[in-house]
Every structure is written in C-alpha cells, then in structure tokens.
Amino acid sequence: MTSLRKPVEALSAGHPTYSQTFPCKPSTAELGRELVRDILGVWHLGGLADRAELIITELIANASRHTPCPEIRLTVGRPSATRLRVGVVDREPSRLPILSQAADGDDESGRGLLLVDAVADRWGYDLHGSDRRPWGKEVWAELRTEGSK
C-alpha cells in the first residue's frame, strides 16, 4: 500500500505523457512552469527545466494572445527515450504559428517563437481532428534528453 504522504519513485514505463487543461490566459504561464518543473523532477530531467519552462511560457503567451479559446491543454511528454516534448493544445486550427523575423528592438511582442526556435531542438504544430475539419492544433517543442540529468 502506498501512502499519500510518502513520495513514490516514478518508474519508466513506455513513453509517458502528462496533460492538464487550464484557462487560456497569460497567468496560466506560472502554472505551466510549475507543472513542467514538477514533471521533469519526477523524470530526473531537471537539467532541462529552464529551457522547457521558457518554451511553455512562450507557447501559453501565444495561445492567450492569438486565440479566443477559453481554455488550453498543456502537454509534457516523452515521445522517445531521448526526447522531451512540451506543447499547448487549443481549438483554433486556423490560427497557425508563424516564425516572425520582423520584430524590431522596440517591439514588445513578436519574439516568442524566435525564443522557442533558439532554445528548442525542434518545434512545430500538429492539427487535431479530421483533415477536412480539424478541431484544434498543438504547438509543441522538443528537447533532447541526453546528458540532462
């Protein structure tokens, strides 16, 4: 029997993914960072936490700024033994992410995906639903896990 007061070591079984739904607003970024840090701690990937937190913060900011969705789903997963993936799912498949190269030094926005592109090993988006009528999209970024312990 496992006590709820005693921490339990997480076992690696397959390629786990964790997801949770939150309000689509800028303040969700703090909850997203906590979620990412906690999960990476359980998975012994704390060396990736700073980069993963920056990525999830930017993805949440983009979703809250560019979609009218009332809620988003944050995902943290291990698509393979050597990759970590963080993402944000929203219900606006027509509003796809665009990597902007035009942000000036005085601009207060427009750099989020540039930051993601700079710190992630790769990033992109996946549409959800049928090809004819997707219901949403996930914008994601991946980090390699080798040597991150």
Side-chain angles (χ1 to χ4, degrees), residues 36 40 48-57 84 86 119 143:
V36 166
L40 295 185
L48 296 175
D50 290 341
R51 290 169 52 203
E53 286 181 61
L54 173 64
I55 291 167
I56 203 72
T57 298
L84 169 74
V86 296
V119 300
L143 301 169

Side-chain angles (χ1 to χ4, degrees), residues 26-47:
S27 61
T28 292
E30 183 177 348
L31 297 171
R33 288 188 296 272
E34 290 175 14
L35 176 73
V36 166
R37 187 166 293 277
D38 289 348
I39 293 168
L40 295 185
V42 169
W43 290 344
H44 304 288
L45 297 172

Side-chain angles (χ1 to χ4, degrees), residues 100-116:
S100 173
Q101 302 292 335
D104 290 329
D106 296 338
D107 291 345
E108 293 183 17
S109 64
R111 292 185 190 83
L113 287 178
L114 287 171
L115 285 171
V116 170

